[in-house]
Amino acid sequence: MLIHYWEQFDFADTTLVNNRDVTEQGFVNFIALLLDGTTPEELTRESLENWCAGFVGKDHARKVLTQTADDYLFNPNSPFYNEGLYGMYLEVLLGKLPQTDAMRSAYRFKLELVRRNNVGDKATDFTYYQPDGTHRTLATTPVKNDRLLLMFYDPECESCHEVLLQMAADTALAEAVRAGKLSVLAVYTEGNKETWLKALPDMPEGWTVGTDREAVKTGALYDLKAMPSLYLLDGSKTVLLKDAAYEKIRTTLAF
């Protein structure tokens, strides 16, 4: 069924493509099958190849369906968010596109971003600057009890503000930091130094706080599509959880 899933779909029919009840729901059902935990990787890839082959040569269908894939597989707020499947889809798409296609570099950039800092990888190193002007790299940051909670944030970001309030109010987190059960490193990723300094008094006691002077963002060292972005690392800076919700990190740490 997966291999033949899109065979009867007319990708050249713009009215059909624009019919969300058919196209979007069809895509949702498609990825639900791919992500049900029983579909082998080889079958998943073949199914994606057949899907991409159907829309690659149809400009409107390609625009709609690549956006749909972004919305469902690459948006952290989507219930179907899955970087593994999204990365496979990008690999397949790049394999179907002509070498001269203007969008190849954009898709390649996204694929490289998805492949970075995955669970089991060494977290990409960067330099950050502390309020007193001293600087340090992620690699040389000391870690207590082999656990480092790394947070990229912007105090002017509403969701960042909400998560920071949640973390600041978490007495168990505060006690864990005080008792040396883990370290927390919060890195401001934007370029307004005054904004960063003004918000420093609100940061919880015991955290290491710094600014990367926009190095992470401009170098695309980490995927910052949704802020705040939280990573759980071990003492050697190996990624244990990538871009995870605070609740998931909290459950994993179980302090």
Side-chain angles (χ1 to χ4, degrees):
M1 180 179 68
L2 279 169
I3 291 173
H4 300 285
Y5 190 91
W6 294 97
E7 280 186 359
Q8 300 303 313
F9 188 89
D10 186 358
F11 292 94
D13 185 340
T14 57
T15 302
L16 176 63
V17 170
N18 288 339
N19 186 334
R20 295 183 61 181
D21 291 338
V22 176
T23 306
E24 188 170 340
Q25 188 60 54
F27 177 78
V28 168
N29 295 342
F30 177 57
I31 60 175
L33 290 169
L34 296 180
L35 294 171
D36 72 353
T38 66
T39 307
E41 181 177 334
E42 183 179 338
L43 175 57
T44 298
R45 189 175 293 274
E46 184 177 356
S47 303
L48 289 170
E49 285 177 350
N50 292 341
W51 177 58
C52 288
F55 69 72
V56 157
K58 314 293 190 302
D59 289 345
H60 183 68
R62 173 171 153 184
K63 179 181 178 181
V64 170
L65 291 171
T66 54
Q67 184 61 56
T68 303
D70 283 359
D71 291 343
Y72 278 91
L73 295 176
F74 199 47
N75 181 349
N77 296 318
S78 165
F80 292 97
Y81 175 59
N82 189 294
E83 285 197 347
L85 183 59
Y86 186 73
M88 187 184 295
Y89 143 71
L90 288 175
E91 291 173 0
V92 168
L93 180 59
L94 284 164
K96 297 293 182 184
L97 289 176
Q99 292 298 318
T100 54
D101 193 283
M103 288 297 293
R104 283 190 67 86
S105 59
Y107 296 138
R108 173 61 61 184
F109 175 79
K110 283 186 177 181
L111 180 58
E112 290 174 355
L113 204 55
V114 166
R115 286 175 172 171
R116 287 179 184 163
N117 305 300
N118 287 314
V119 172
D121 293 347
K122 208 82 155 180
T124 303
D125 199 19
F126 60 90
T127 299
Y128 62 92
Y129 300 82
Q130 295 173 282
D132 63 2
T134 60
H135 65 275
R136 176 174 271 157
T137 64
L138 175 65
T140 59
T141 298
V143 177
K144 295 177 181 177
N145 197 37
D146 200 36
R147 290 293 180 269
L148 175 65
L149 174 51
L150 170 63
M151 176 174 67
F152 298 107
Y153 79 102
D154 173 7
E156 293 190 314
C157 151
E158 184 175 341
S159 57
C160 292
H161 184 65
E162 291 175 0
V163 174
L164 277 169
L165 285 176
Q166 180 185 3
M167 295 173 73
D170 188 343
T171 55
L173 174 62
E175 175 57 25
V177 172
R178 189 198 65 76
K181 293 181 180 179
L182 83 155
S183 300
V184 180
L185 171 61
V187 179
Y188 173 62
T189 58
E190 301 304 307
N192 192 327
K193 185 177 180 181
E194 289 184 4
T195 295
W196 174 60
L197 291 173
K198 183 180 178 181
L200 283 177
D202 298 326
M203 301 302 284
E205 185 178 349
W207 291 18
T208 300
V209 183
T211 172
D212 69 341
R213 298 179 180 175
E214 298 186 275
V216 169
K217 184 174 66 173
T218 56
L221 304 182
Y222 289 76
D223 183 4
L224 302 180
K225 62 179 175 292
M227 294 285 275
S229 186
L230 302 174
Y231 288 74
L232 183 63
L233 313 178
D234 67 11
S236 64
K237 313 308 185 303
T238 297
V239 179
L240 304 177
L241 290 176
K242 176 185 180 179
D243 205 9
Y246 178 59
E247 290 78 7
K248 184 174 183 180
I249 290 176
R250 185 75 166 69
T251 301
T252 301
L253 289 170
F255 45 69

